[in-house]
Amino acid sequence: MPTDPPQVPALEELLAGAHVVSLPMRVRFRGIMERESLLLRGPAGWGEFCPFPEYGDAEASRWLAAAIEAAWEGFPAPLRSVIPVNATVPAVPAARVPEVLARFGRVDAVKVKVAERGQTLDDDIARVAAVREALPYAAIRVDANGGWDVPGAVEALTRLAGVGLEYAEQPVPTIDGLAEVRRQLQAAGTPVLIAADESVRKESDPLRVARAGAADLLVVKVAPLGGVRRALDIVERAGLPAVVSSALDTSVGIRAGLALAAALPELPYACGLGTVSLFESDITTDPLVSDDGAIRLRDAAADAGLLERYAASAERRDWWLARLRRVHALLAA
């Protein structure tokens, strides 16, 4: 059954526990080297509000709902305490792949970013091949973030299939396009499953991708879907296997992703919750990073010293607080 949204606290409550941070990245990811986030402390713990700056207030309102759930309501009871996670390889040159993988320790699955603007398919193939060389037995999935068109996706996935792909995440931007890529790959006997990410979290109707037969599995992220409970509801109603992933979160946001992964009835794939390893530092003294390919479920509390050390500039803090006020007004309306 659909879940009711959490009760929205007063703006003053949110502002009283708000901290804006800017964390340096080890490698460029989504075109940035600094990740900004607004952290909220509530009666149930910490929540993270970090929609990317280009997102509008209506879309960002789901991220705030997720942060409020985490900090004011808490999470559903877990079904498991250890969550398998994949390593994430950004769109780096193939020569840097071993360096990136080394930060994750032993892993059994790797997500590789592809279709980066300004790069070529040959760059993607070299990057994926470098991962396969480094980890001959790992499951490899690629994430195009909708960067290909249908012919380009079919060509790319046909060529990449030779490396052995677990699945391809959001190869094209539209649901109709996903369905067509999936149809063409199946018709050609190309063994690549299609996963929907943006076509779930950025759609007003996140179940449309399942009804259209456009994907073999869903990638679900807590913040863009409005919280753990809403994500659980979407997965249940979609009737497709799910992979839990993150939105380049601090450990506070990763904690919410772990809560979702821990509460799913089935967890057939390693989760994309290892992105704290892409940061130079985190905001907790006990970061939620992978240990031998998994993260043990535990809480994440922001450390006062780290919040101070990585506090955003006054100008950026004002920008985020203004955004919080606008988005709160939408949720409370």
Side-chain angles (χ1 to χ4, degrees):
M1 294 293 292
T3 56
D4 294 327
Q7 185 174 357
V8 180
L11 176 62
E12 292 72 20
E13 286 188 64
L14 271 62
L15 292 172
H19 300 266
V20 181
V21 296
S22 180
L23 297 176
M25 306 287 299
R26 295 181 187 273
V27 292
R28 188 172 298 277
F29 195 89
R30 282 185 58 103
I32 62 173
M33 288 297 293
E34 296 275 338
R35 176 62 162 138
E36 294 180 342
S37 180
L38 192 158
L39 302 170
L40 297 169
R41 186 171 189 176
W46 288 86
E48 180 161 12
F49 176 61
C50 61
F52 292 99
E54 66 269 21
Y55 290 3
D57 290 348
E59 184 174 358
S61 68
R62 294 194 293 271
W63 297 61
L64 183 55
I68 289 171
E69 177 193 54
W72 270 262
E73 187 176 1
F75 301 120
L79 300 177
R80 58 188 64 83
S81 61
V82 177
I83 309 302
V85 297
N86 63 251
T88 299
V89 175
V92 297
R96 293 195 63 190
V97 165
E99 167 199 341
V100 173
L101 288 175
R103 301 188 190 112
F104 291 92
R106 188 191 69 78
V107 291
D108 297 317
V110 182
K111 178 162 78 171
V112 185
K113 290 290 185 177
V114 293
E116 182 85 353
R117 186 173 300 178
Q119 296 186 8
T120 67
L121 177 55
D122 286 340
D123 294 325
D124 295 335
I125 291 171
R127 186 180 311 113
V128 174
V131 173
R132 175 57 71 215
E133 182 178 0
L135 298 171
Y137 303 107
I140 298 177
R141 67 276 298 254
V142 295
D143 181 7
N145 288 118
W148 290 316
D149 58 15
V150 170
V154 172
E155 178 191 0
L157 296 179
T158 300
R159 292 179 64 184
L160 287 167
V163 179
L165 295 184
E166 187 178 33
Y167 62 79
E169 183 175 330
Q170 200 69 43
V172 295
T174 68
I175 291 176
D176 290 344
L178 287 179
E180 180 60 19
V181 169
R182 185 169 180 254
R183 185 194 68 77
Q184 290 191 31
L185 292 176
Q186 288 178 341
T190 304
V192 178
L193 301 179
I194 299 299
D197 177 10
E198 286 88 346
S199 289
V200 176
R201 62 182 169 86
K202 295 179 79 71
E203 285 284 326
S204 58
D205 177 5
L207 296 174
R208 191 164 76 86
V209 70
R211 289 197 300 270
D216 299 284
L217 59 143
L218 305 180
V219 177
V220 288
K221 299 177 180 178
V222 170
L225 291 177
V228 172
R229 290 169 178 82
R230 185 166 185 266
L232 286 170
D233 178 62
I234 288 168
V235 172
E236 179 183 4
R237 290 193 285 154
L240 292 174
V243 180
V244 180
S245 191
S246 70
L248 199 56
D249 307 327
T250 72
S251 283
V252 169
I254 295 297
R255 174 64 180 92
L258 293 173
L260 172 57
L264 282 169
E266 297 180 359
L267 195 67
Y269 296 96
C271 298
L273 297 172
T275 50
V276 169
S277 295
L278 299 175
F279 293 125
E280 289 283 359
S281 182
D282 193 19
I283 45 70
T284 176
T285 56
D286 185 21
L288 292 175
V289 295
S290 172
D291 180 16
D292 277 344
I295 303 177
R296 184 167 295 278
L297 188 66
R298 60 187 187 273
D299 288 334
D303 175 77
L306 291 170
L307 289 174
E308 181 177 358
R309 179 179 178 184
Y310 293 105
S313 67
E315 178 184 1
R316 296 306 298 164
R317 174 179 167 83
D318 289 346
W319 186 91
W320 277 96
L321 293 181
R323 190 184 202 188
L324 176 63
R325 293 183 176 95
R326 296 193 311 270
V327 175
H328 176 271
L330 287 178
L331 272 187

